[in-house]
């Protein structure tokens, strides 16, 4: 069971890493538009559409990856003091009360939006001769499905934790570094220096 959970973690981590490259594409598009607008005096109407589609794609497809890394915002004021079983029980309740209904609604509505958009060959109405947005809308149910898959993994983790009393392992990835912890690590590795003016 644990191997299956870790495989799904790895899959969603891989998807998250792949879609993270949209940041590079987004940066290039914006840089080109700024150069084109202010240096060449030739702005492009499609850039606004492209930027919100790239940005939206990044955030939607990062949802499952962030859940796999346990990186979503959490009210840690009290949660961190609870025992793992209590944490898992609370998480399990919240997954069934909020997560599953919300993500199912996202998948359902997203499928309707995407299928209708593909049928009518929808283009953006924000700018004249706007780019097609049906590929962007297709990301909505796809993101919902990957989020639901990772949610099932997290629910199974909660059940395992309730039974065993400790959280099962998860795939580790790059994490934010606590500044104080980093400072301590850096200073711990440096040799101690003699105070200024002391004898050598």
């Amino acid at each position: 069971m644990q191997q299956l959970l870790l495989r799904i973690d790895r899959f969603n981590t891989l998807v998250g890493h792949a879609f993270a490259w949209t940041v590079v594409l987004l940066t290039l598009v914006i840089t080109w538009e700024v150069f084109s607008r202010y240096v060449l005096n030739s702005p492009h109407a499609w850039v606004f559409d492209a930027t919100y589609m790239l940005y939206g794609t990044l955030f939607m497809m990062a949802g499952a990856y962030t859940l796999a890394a346990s990186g979503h915002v959490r009210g840690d004021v009290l949660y961190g003091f609870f025992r793992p079983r209590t944490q898992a029980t609370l998480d399990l309740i919240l997954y069934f009360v909020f997560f599953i209904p919300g993500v199912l609604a996202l998948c359902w509505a997203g499928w309707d939006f995407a299928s209708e958009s593909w049928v009518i060959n929808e283009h953006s109405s924000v700018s004249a001769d706007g780019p097609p947005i049906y590929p962007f809308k297709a990301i909505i149910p796809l993101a919902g499905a990957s989020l639901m898959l990772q949610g099932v993994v997290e629910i199974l983790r909660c059940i395992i934790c309730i039974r065993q009393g400790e959280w099962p392992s998860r795939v580790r990835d790059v994490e934010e570094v606590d500044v104080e912890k980093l400072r301590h690590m850096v200073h711990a590795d440096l040799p101690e220096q003699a105070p200024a003016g002391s004898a050598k």
Side-chain angles (χ1 to χ4, degrees):
M1 172 67 81
Q2 177 64 11
Q3 288 305 312
L4 177 61
L5 301 184
L6 291 174
R7 277 196 198 102
I8 296 171
D9 278 352
R10 287 188 196 99
F11 170 74
N12 280 321
T13 299
L14 183 66
V15 170
H17 286 178
F19 277 92
W21 285 98
T22 57
V23 171
V24 176
L25 186 55
L26 180 63
T27 303
L28 292 173
V29 167
I30 292 173
T31 303
W32 168 250
E33 177 59 14
V34 169
F35 176 78
S36 182
R37 179 181 297 257
Y38 293 106
V39 176
L40 304 178
N41 197 25
S42 176
H44 303 92
W46 55 266
V47 169
F48 175 73
D49 293 302
T51 54
Y52 78 71
M53 284 190 264
L54 286 168
Y55 209 48
T57 299
L58 170 65
F59 275 94
M60 284 190 287
M61 293 309 295
Y65 163 68
T66 308
L67 188 58
S70 191
H72 283 290
V73 175
R74 180 192 303 274
D76 276 339
V77 178
L78 296 175
Y79 183 89
F81 293 105
F82 295 154
R83 293 175 183 271
R85 273 198 176 99
T86 308
Q87 291 176 341
T89 303
L90 181 61
D91 283 356
L92 192 60
I93 292 167
L94 294 175
Y95 275 117
F96 279 106
V97 173
F98 294 108
F99 181 87
I100 290 178
V103 176
L104 282 176
L106 175 68
C107 292
W108 184 273
W111 180 262
D112 283 348
F113 281 134
S115 57
E116 185 178 328
S117 185
W118 278 87
V119 167
I120 65 173
N121 193 24
E122 186 177 10
H123 283 61
S124 173
S125 60
V126 175
S127 57
D129 196 25
I133 59 173
Y134 48 88
F136 174 59
K137 286 193 174 181
I139 295 292
I140 301 170
L142 185 63
S146 65
L147 194 57
M148 181 59 80
L149 178 64
Q150 188 62 44
V152 170
V153 168
E154 299 306 318
I155 287 169
L156 292 173
R157 277 201 174 98
C158 290
I159 293 168
I160 292 169
C161 182
I162 291 168
R163 288 182 178 169
Q164 297 179 355
E166 60 182 26
W167 285 106
S169 62
R170 61 174 64 240
V171 170
R172 290 289 170 212
D173 195 23
V174 178
E175 296 179 4
E176 285 187 47
V177 177
D178 182 277
V179 176
E180 290 301 320
K181 189 175 180 181
L182 179 63
R183 186 177 291 136
H184 176 71
M185 288 167 49
V186 169
H187 289 302
D189 292 341
L190 293 175
E192 289 190 21
Q193 296 179 353
S198 63
K200 293 184 179 178

